Structures are given as C-alpha cells and as structure tokens.
Amino acid sequence: MIRTVGTGAWLGAALLALGAAMPAQAGQTVKVGILTDMSGTYSDMGGAGSVAAAQLAIDECLAAECKGMTIELLSADHQNKPDIGTQKAREWADVNKVNAIADLTNSAVALGVQKLAVEHNFVAMFSGPATTKLTNEDCTPNGFHWMFDTYALAAGSAQAITKMGGKSWYFVTVDYAFGHSLEADSAAMVTSLGGTVVGSVRHPLGASDMSSFLLSAQSSQAQVIALANGGGDAINAIKTAREFGIVQSGKQVVPLLIFLSDIRSLGLDVAQGLTFTEGFYWDQDDAARAFSARFQKAFQGRKPTMVQAGTYSSVLHYLRAVAAAKTTEASVVAAKMRQLPITDAVMRHPAIRPDGRVIHDMLLVKVKTPAESKGEWDFYTIQATIPAAEAFRPLASSSCPLVKN
C-alpha cells in the first residue's frame, strides 16, 4: 500500500488504481520515451545526448533496484513543433504503450504533452523546457519539472547582475512561450530590485540573422542586453554582439539561458566573462565528475549539459519509483515519485513539491578566460550556490490547482 503524501483527489485515485495495476516485475516491459530536438536549435543541449543519458539511468537501475525488469527506450524528434510533439506523444501512449516521456526541450511542445499526461495515462518529466506554466496553471499530477525554469534563471542571473549595478535592461526575446516567460520573470526580478526595463524586441525561433535585433538593443542605451532565448539563438546573438562591438563598448550581454554545449561552440575567446545560471556543472564536485566521466565515455567524448544531466536524473528516479511501487500505473508511480527521496550524482538538496516542481541547488557561474581554462571542458568558475529554497518560485505563490487542493 502506498503511503499518502499530501492531499487531493488525484492521490485517492492513485491508491484505488494500485489494486488493479500490473506489477512492474521480471517479465514486464517498462517503456520510456525521450522526446527531444534531434536536429534543430536545441539539439546540442538535449538531442541524442539526452537519449544517452536516459540509457545510463536505465543501465544503473537495472544493476540495482530494477534488476530483473525489462526496460525499453524509445526516442523521437519533435522538431520544435507542438503539433508534431503532441502527435508523437499520443502515438507513443496509445500504440506503443509508453509509460513515461522525458526531456521535451521545447516549452510549447512540453505544454502540449503536459495536457496529455493524465488523459493518456503516462508520466511526463521535463528537463529541457523552461516555462513556469508547467508547475503553475498547467500543472498535472503526472507532470514533473526537473532541472530549471524561467524563475530560477531570473533568481540567479537577473538578481545577481542587477545587484552588481546593471540597473537598465533591454530584452532580446525568442517569440514563443519559453521566451515570453523568461522575459517576464527576469523583468519582474529586475524591477523588484529597483532596476528598469527600457524595452524589448522579439525574434522567431531559429533566427539566422540577429543583427537587427542586436542593433535595436544597442540603440536603447540600456546597460544590460538580456538574451531571453537559448541554444542556437543565444549563440548567434552573442557572436553578433561581439562582431558589432557591443560587448567591447562596455554593455553587458547576459544570456539568461545558455548551456555547456553552447560555450563549447562559441569558444572561450568569444564567451569569456559571460555570467549566468546553471543547474549542473560537470566539475562542481566529485560526484558530478564521476557521473560526467561515464556520460563522456557513452556519448561522443562530451560532458553533459544540465538538460542531459536532468534527463538522467529524472529517468533514474522514475524507474526507481516503478520498482518500489511494483507497477507502471502512472498515477501510482507519480505518487511514489513524490514519496521517494531523489538520490543521484546530479541533484543537490532536491525535493519534489506538490506542484511537480523539483527544487534543488542552482549555480551562478562565470565563463573563464582562455588563460584561466586548464582543459577542454574547463569553462566555468562557480560564483555562488543558490539554495534550493531560494532558487525557485515559492510554493505559496503557485497557481497550480494541486497546491490549492
């Protein structure tokens, strides 16, 4: 019998489902799908690396709690299109009988999949999307937001840079749910600390030419040009800012979301001095180094991004919950996931809240100069640790119906 944690009708349903659920024991297949960007703007931060991370989690669990189980891993490219992503998730749930879907990378795709999670009876775990809607108005009992969100990014970068004197801000924002949410949360943080937002401009996802957007930002006279985008868009914007002399002129270009893979693509000559928020860094401690060495061996000699690390953590915790609950019934496993502690090499001081937000320590990092770097992946100096309780939107401010219940 599952011990009840918290309140709400969905937990009651989970308990009732337990009696009829099929046991996840030797002979039964547990199916996990990685729905990600395999070829577009976000493919380096998630993509095939997230599939490799999920396989590491499967192998680890099969050697321990999941011994004797059969676990099948599926993957697909959502192409950053909500209709394609939701269609694939629906097909996986109805035809392939997938029990859990992880990564997602794109906020618009994630919001669509979130709505399917309860209706089609699977668990959804988001390590790539950033929109806070996933654990607010669009929350579900089967959905878990694992690594970062736009509030956490604002609590790190926007707060630190405003306190250091960057008082006037201009946003260059990707024009969909993720960018809108990131700009809104960061702007709110800036104004709460006495700063001002002097303007913003929006660009399409996957913009090949960022020059007009950066020129608008430059002409604003703002001290800080904040990039509310990610992946290839952030890379292109930073390169353009260097080419136009914007960084050299004394303006601070702040990528509100950027990844280890992006810094590698940019090179330290271009990326040096950038300050931003990270959820995981391969060199932060011994446990992170050990996990990252395993990942590097498994995936093209690369260190993991925080999305890939989050995919590993979420899939491992899900599988442990399946093993403990002895069922793949989504509502029961989701309840067990909230009950079990998260213990892995990725998360520091983690906990799962009733709204599905996985809180954990975040890091404020600064990119090293080429002279400071001691190796191929030695990119960051950790400036500060943001405690889990401070890094994410307070539960009291949540608009998630599960919290209200």
Side-chain angles (χ1 to χ4, degrees):
M1 192 70 167
I2 291 180
R3 181 170 60 86
T4 302
V5 181
T7 59
W10 65 273
L11 278 171
L15 295 172
L16 290 173
L18 180 58
M22 290 288 290
Q25 299 175 21
Q28 183 184 355
T29 298
V30 182
K31 296 184 179 182
V32 178
I34 303 301
L35 189 56
T36 185
D37 178 358
M38 289 290 195
S39 55
T41 302
Y42 303 137
S43 57
D44 275 355
M45 74 181 196
S50 285
V51 180
Q55 187 63 58
L56 284 177
I58 290 170
D59 293 343
E60 184 173 330
C61 200
L62 284 173
E65 297 93 340
C66 299
K67 187 173 293 186
M69 291 164 52
T70 301
I71 303 171
E72 182 179 337
L73 180 63
L74 293 81
S75 63
D77 186 355
H78 57 49
Q79 301 176 42
N80 290 304
K81 296 178 180 178
D83 56 339
I84 291 176
T86 53
Q87 179 182 350
K88 176 54 68 175
R90 189 179 290 109
E91 175 190 321
W92 273 354
D94 293 344
V95 178
N96 300 96
K97 305 303 179 184
V98 163
N99 307 115
I101 299 177
D103 186 354
L104 281 303
T105 57
N106 181 294
S107 289
V109 174
L111 289 168
V113 172
Q114 176 88 310
K115 293 177 182 178
L116 297 175
V118 174
E119 178 185 350
H120 291 262
N121 200 37
F122 61 85
V123 170
M125 300 171 291
F126 309 101
S127 61
T131 178
T132 54
K133 286 185 176 181
L134 290 167
T135 52
N136 281 281
E137 60 266 38
D138 285 3
C139 73
T140 73
N142 290 9
F144 300 88
H145 203 167
W146 215 264
M147 179 51 70
F148 62 94
D149 59 28
T150 55
Y151 183 93
L153 300 174
S157 305
Q159 180 172 215
I161 289 163
T162 304
K163 287 182 176 179
M164 288 188 291
K167 294 294 187 181
S168 59
W169 288 59
Y170 188 97
F171 288 88
V172 177
T173 303
V174 63
D175 193 12
Y176 80 104
F178 152 61
H180 303 168
S181 181
L182 184 51
E183 178 184 331
D185 282 334
S186 298
M189 182 64 70
V190 169
T191 55
S192 73
L193 296 169
T196 59
V197 176
V198 301
S200 66
V201 64
R202 291 181 174 176
H203 67 80
L205 177 66
S208 58
D209 184 359
M210 302 291 290
S211 56
S212 63
F213 310 114
L214 268 296
L215 287 172
S216 295
Q218 185 178 31
S219 64
S220 71
Q221 303 303 312
Q223 294 171 292
V224 178
I225 298 174
L227 306 178
N229 53 23
D233 290 330
I235 290 172
N236 289 339
I238 292 166
K239 286 181 177 178
T240 301
R242 284 281 184 187
E243 290 168 3
F244 287 5
I246 295 173
V247 175
Q248 297 89 321
S249 70
K251 289 185 182 295
Q252 189 164 5
V253 175
V254 177
L256 293 170
L257 178 60
I258 197 164
F259 299 91
L260 191 75
S261 54
D262 301 331
I263 302 301
R264 185 171 186 258
S265 295
L266 285 166
L268 295 184
D269 282 334
V270 175
Q272 61 182 303
L274 294 175
T275 300
F276 51 91
T277 308
E278 266 281 0
F280 173 84
Y281 181 45
W282 71 269
D283 200 25
Q284 67 190 80
D285 57 29
D286 288 343
R289 284 187 283 272
F291 161 70
S292 299
R294 296 198 303 275
F295 180 90
Q296 188 171 16
K297 185 176 180 180
F299 185 64
Q300 303 175 5
R302 298 188 179 194
K303 298 295 188 186
T305 67
M306 64 172 163
V307 172
Q308 293 156 352
T311 300
Y312 160 84
S313 175
S314 62
V315 171
L316 180 59
H317 188 69
Y318 167 78
L319 292 173
R320 286 170 169 170
V322 170
K326 293 182 169 42
T327 179
T328 56
E329 172 60 41
S331 57
V332 180
V333 176
K336 181 62 72 173
M337 289 174 71
R338 286 176 166 84
Q339 179 185 0
L340 293 176
I342 298 172
T343 55
D344 59 47
V346 169
M347 309 293 270
R348 304 294 175 271
H349 304 111
I352 301 179
R353 301 192 318 197
D355 58 354
R357 176 66 260 176
V358 180
I359 64 169
H360 61 105
D361 293 351
M362 298 287 287
L363 304 171
L364 184 70
V365 302
K366 184 176 182 179
V367 178
K368 293 181 175 181
T369 67
E372 291 171 329
S373 177
K374 297 179 181 178
E376 182 183 7
W377 294 96
D378 183 24
F379 294 161
Y380 303 160
T381 297
I382 297 175
Q383 303 287 295
T385 297
I386 307 164
E390 299 174 15
F392 297 90
R393 188 187 303 278
L395 190 59
S397 301
S398 176
S399 57
C400 172
L402 299 176
V403 176
K404 293 180 180 179
N405 290 337

